[in-house]
Amino acid sequence: MSSLSIQHLLGLDGVPREDIQLLLDSADTFLEVLDRPIKKVPTLQGKTVVNLFFENSTRTRISFELAERRLSADVVNFSASTSSVSKGETLLDTARNIEAMKVDIVVMRHAAAGAGHFLSTRCTSKFINAGDGTHEHPTQALLDMYSIRQKHGSLEGLRVCIIGDIAHSRVSLSNIYGLKTMGAEVAVCGPASMIPWQLEKLGVRVFTNVDEALRFSDVINVLRIQLERDAGADFPSLREYHNSFGITRKRLEAAGKDITVLHPGPINRGVEIESEVADGPYSVILPEVTNGVAIRMAVLYHIGTKAE
């Protein structure tokens, strides 16, 4: 396989098209591995990966851990609540102490935007961003793009709309950067209070009417309302949000198109999306989860085996 031009995966802003293409193509190989009776290859044998999660996560952490074990890496999991961070240790001291134990790759989730970039300039390990605040979540965007390509064959020229809580999302920015790099036409849709100011400067269309957004779209990526980040303060009630922006079968049928529906999960059923859509024929939500392991295997392989 070819080599990435990047040393770390900290976000998709500025990542060349060739790198994204390589990761998507490599995921095809690793998805095939996941269908074998023995779902394991020796690719990262002898490498040690630390999952440094300062925020709670279920699917992303499990997806990364499965990817690491499928590649035969040694895996160490870190939880901030049971570490010396709870005693006041700094982020840099924590990372340096873990690194002194001779780890090779750090997969990190942190509430602060740029935390991975900060450590990558001060440590020698390879860093993969598993979500930093409301900034970026590059592997989620890669698996979204992979799932769209799997369904449509190509990203070039597709119209993709990200719908929902854009302001509090780390998925939206990575999707915007990655999709535009790969030639898709990108839009966002949501209440004006949940769309960052001057987002149009990134070259995206902005809709505040979901029915107009659906008529525009070939693909929609429906984002979770992040109530834990006070997103509920940006609209009067969950019922009103659902009535104005919730994705329903009736709305999809009214658009008169075969629209592919993605959702990064976890889902607030009956709020941003109704169950009939999430579990219906428009949805590729469960294939996204499977594809996430293959994409993370591709990222770990290319980052973990890249020469300095």
Side-chain angles (χ1 to χ4, degrees), residues 44-51 68 71-77 98-99 101-107 125-126 300 304:
L44 290 187
Q45 199 165 48
K47 300 279 187 182
T48 302
V49 185
V50 175
N51 296 315
E68 292 150 8
L71 294 170
S72 302
D74 295 316
V75 179
V76 179
N77 288 310
I98 291 173
E99 194 171 58
M101 299 176 203
K102 306 299 180 187
V103 304
D104 301 290
I105 306 169
V106 177
V107 176
S125 301
K126 306 285 183 64
L300 286 158

Side-chain angles (χ1 to χ4, degrees), residues 238-265:
L238 294 179
R239 175 178 291 183
E240 182 161 327
Y241 181 86
H242 180 71
N243 289 341
S244 299
F245 293 96
I247 303 303
T248 63
R249 181 181 59 80
K250 186 176 177 182
R251 277 202 161 112
L252 289 173
E253 288 177 352
K257 305 167 69 174
D258 184 12
I259 299 173
T260 302
V261 178
L262 292 88
H263 191 303

Side-chain angles (χ1 to χ4, degrees), residues 148 151-152 157-161 185 213-220 257-262:
I148 296 169
K151 177 80 179 287
H152 291 269
L158 274 181
R159 290 181 159 192
V160 183
C161 187
E185 189 175 347
L214 291 177
R215 286 193 291 273
F216 161 87
S217 304
D218 302 306
V219 179
I220 58 172
K257 305 167 69 174
D258 184 12
I259 299 173
T260 302
V261 178
L262 292 88

